[in-house]
Amino acid sequence: MTTTVATPTITAGTWAADAVHSDVSFKVRHMAVGKAKGSFALKSATLVVGENGIADASVTAVIDATSVDTKHEQRDAHVRSADFLDVENHPELTFVSKSVKDVDGEEFVLVGDLTIRSTSNEVELVVEYLGETVDAYGATRAGFSAKTTISRKAYGVSFEAAFGAGNAVVADKVEIDLELEFVRNAD
């Protein structure tokens, strides 16, 4: 018996992110016992969906690196500094998708290049498609949740500080979580 997995249904066309209803957040292990959390403002994102739906969709996104918010002003300033994001020279983080793979019901993997500090690396975002609806104003909306984990050192973020017996103040592994809403452009 062969099982066929349905590709998620989404209307073809060009979609723009609703930055107000989207969230770009991260977590990184701190002092070996906890995780520091933060977020960024999404400047823009465009989703282009072809006739084959999610299977041939593409995404480009721009994140405002200067907007980092960890709910601690001194830490925010340090993250903006050359020790971490160097926002004076690199005010944006970007993502450009290259392919979609492993579509399984409402979940799939989006492969693309993430650029931080002018260094690009391929990442795989595990994405859940949350569906499509028409809002109270007649606009068609679609929602997605996505996750990935990156190495900050792979992007030239090599700040090192230790305490105790070799414990890192900030771990290398950074977890990224996205909640994105897109609005379909009128054709």
Side-chain angles (χ1 to χ4, degrees), residues 26-30 35-36 148-153 170-176:
F26 65 92
K27 291 186 276 190
V28 63
R29 192 127 183 207
H30 178 255
K35 291 188 179 181
T148 194
T149 300
I150 64 169
S151 159
R152 65 180 175 82
K153 293 176 185 175
V170 180
D172 178 45
K173 182 172 81 169
V174 180
E175 300 170 43
I176 299 172

Side-chain angles (χ1 to χ4, degrees), residues 15-143:
W15 299 70
D18 176 350
V20 172
H21 293 102
S22 295
D23 180 67
V24 177
S25 60
F26 65 92
K27 291 186 276 190
V28 63
R29 192 127 183 207
H30 178 255
M31 303 296 266
V33 296
K35 291 188 179 181
K37 300 175 186 176
S39 64
F40 293 99
L42 179 66
K43 269 181 111 167
S44 66
T46 302
L47 166 66
V48 178
V49 179
E51 294 304 318
N52 294 322
I54 294 293
D56 67 357
S58 65
V59 176
T60 58
V62 179
I63 297 159
D64 180 2
T66 68
S67 70
V68 67
D69 181 6
T70 66
K71 300 187 180 0
H72 188 273
E73 286 183 35
Q74 186 178 0
R75 180 171 50 208
D76 294 348
H78 193 201
V79 172
R80 288 184 194 102
S81 78
D83 281 346
F84 289 94
L85 296 177
D86 190 15
V87 299
E88 187 174 316
N89 295 305
H90 310 284
E92 297 176 338
L93 314 174
T94 61
F95 175 81
V96 178
S97 70
K98 300 191 309 191
S99 65
V100 175
K101 67 180 191 178
D102 301 333
V103 178
D104 183 5
E106 302 298 309
E107 296 182 359
F108 58 94
V109 175
L110 183 64
V111 180
D113 290 327
L114 176 63
T115 303
I116 300 172
R117 293 174 55 120
S118 298
T119 299
S120 296
N121 289 299
E122 185 175 278
V123 298
E124 292 189 353
L125 292 165
V126 177
V127 182
E128 178 185 7
Y129 173 54
L130 302 174
E132 179 180 317
T133 192
V134 175
D135 68 19
Y137 305 100
T140 303
R141 293 180 168 272

